[in-house]
Amino acid sequence: SLDMDYPLPLLAAESGSFAYNTMKDRVPRILTKCIDTITQKPFEVSDQNVEEGRLDCQSVIGQLSQLRSEIMTDKSLTLLDDEIDDCEVWNARFEQNRSVHQSHPTWFSSPWLYVECFMYRKIQSVLSKSNHMKKFDPFLDQKNLALLQSLPAMRNLAAFLDQVLKIDLGDAKILGLRLQDFLQVSLWGNRCDLSLSGGEESSQTTDPHKNLTTLSEFLLVDCSKKVFDYLYIINQDKKTDKVVDIILDNSGFELFTDLILAEFLLASKLATKIRFHPKRFPWFVSDVTPQDFLDTIDILGKDSSQVLGDFALRWKERLQDETFTLITDENLTSFWTLPDPFYLMKNVSPSLLQLLETSKLLIFKGDLNYRKLVSDLKWLHETSFVKALRGFTSTPLCSLRTLKAEVVVGLPTGVAESIAKCDADWMVTGKYAVIQSNI
Ligand code: F6P
Ligand code: MG
């Protein structure tokens, strides 16, 4: 039921809101791009039978075009009718949304988090019902291009980590500062898939450390010191396993920054094992799928630079010896592609929660994960982060998030107002960021 103690969810129905613009312009554009990609692929789809491949593509394109037009004209949402194992859960959400919010939920009148997730799930539904495109990733070309474009920035960052690891990290103060650096590197990796230099061309000579200093002005809350103090204290007990989970967001440069952070945690012995949580299928255009994760390491391994080659090799070894684990079990991945805020995990995916509770630290990457941490509600900006988690606090966690949606909590009084005065779009451009924690 609608809980009167909580603020309302973000809604696309509010004309002029970022949610509205997303559903009105961005989402149809994403679908158009998806359709264009598939239009160019008919011969790749089926190597056995070209004609069959062509018909398959045509049918998928037809359904995606229909989806786009239903969104643009704010038609009613419909139930799913596919064989994917979360189909029933989605249909249950449909009924809940109908009973809570309105009798005929439409694309713009339903909570934005729910409909935006539903759009990506609908794409998957269409693909799953095709003959040859069940595993097709309509965003793969975009993701691969972004990856190749950021190779120079990656070489640069890899060299930075390489340098850091050559220094003796025995001194707690230095260790702490470096952890803060790599948390921030991973944070800014979330900034619109751009490199740390903020979109300018990243040359080999750019100093990531200098970039972090420049960017720190836009970091509105920074709990990274607290995260270090916590990890350092549990590190005093050398015997226990120290598992850290990274709930991934985007592929490309961001994934690379996550791997760099993971490598630093292991090499510095702040953690003994890292578990990575990808999305089970293509999601929000650039999110990491298991295939993206493995392909990325392969591509790094083939790079002309020694430093990327070395890290790629090490990461392959880590996947072998399981100091890196990529979570792919459907029981443990399906929750991430539901529209549910994380406080519901205990009911919806107890097995995932159980796994996460064996972790010393959960690192949530990016904007969508943040929206799910705080339930995508219109909280006052001064609301405490822990309150907004609504009980999702059984394990220490931190969120590394650049702001790309109109929700943020945990800001000191007056900060939101003063930024808004000179920067009207401050919540949606990825320019500002937070590192927040329940520790
Ligand atoms: O463009 C807006 C948006 O689709 C948001 O709805 C979503 O939260 C964000 O982009 C995805 O960003 P991220 O990859 O950081 O989760
Ligand atoms: Mg994403």
Side-chain angles (χ1 to χ4, degrees), residues 307-321:
V307 72
L308 286 187
D310 288 351
F311 276 119
L313 197 63
R314 194 175 314 169
W315 295 339
K316 280 183 185 165
E317 284 163 12
R318 292 201 177 286
L319 286 167
Q320 288 286 321
D321 68 20

Side-chain angles (χ1 to χ4, degrees), residues 190 249-250 283-284 286-287 368:
N190 181 246
D249 185 4
N250 301 311
W283 189 249
F284 279 73
S286 44
D287 282 28
L368 181 61

Side-chain angles (χ1 to χ4, degrees), residues 18 26 112 116 190 249-250 284 287 366-368 371 404:
F18 184 67
R26 189 181 310 243
W112 178 41
E116 202 179 14
N190 181 246
D249 185 4
N250 301 311
F284 279 73
D287 282 28
D367 192 72
L368 181 61
R371 289 171 62 192
K404 303 176 196 167

Side-chain angles (χ1 to χ4, degrees), residues 54-106:
R54 206 177 56 79
L55 288 175
D56 215 20
C57 278
Q58 236 166 40
S59 151
V60 166
I61 289 168
Q63 293 174 72
L64 293 180
S65 307
Q66 190 189 334
L67 172 61
R68 180 179 54 186
S69 115
E70 285 179 9
I71 295 171
M72 291 175 80
T73 54
D74 196 20
K75 292 286 184 298
S76 292
L77 301 171
T78 50
L79 290 165
L80 291 172
D81 60 349
D82 57 44
E83 312 262 277
I84 305 176
D85 56 18
D86 63 356
C87 189
E88 272 171 43
V89 184
W90 272 101
N91 287 342
R93 296 295 173 274
F94 177 89
E95 293 302 340
Q96 285 159 1
N97 178 39
R98 176 152 74 176
S99 63
V100 174
H101 293 282
Q102 64 283 96
S103 48
H104 295 291
T106 67

Side-chain angles (χ1 to χ4, degrees), residues 18-57:
F18 184 67
Y20 173 82
N21 293 336
T22 297
M23 295 312 291
K24 191 176 158 295
D25 299 328
R26 189 181 310 243
V27 160
R29 230 185 298 133
I30 288 168
L31 277 166
T32 301
K33 205 157 185 184
C34 212
I35 291 166
D36 288 349
T37 303
I38 296 169
T39 309
Q40 294 156 13
K41 298 278 181 197
F43 305 108
E44 282 173 41
V45 169
S46 167
D47 39 5
Q48 265 86 48
N49 187 333
V50 174
E51 181 55 17
E52 212 186 285
R54 206 177 56 79
L55 288 175
D56 215 20
C57 278

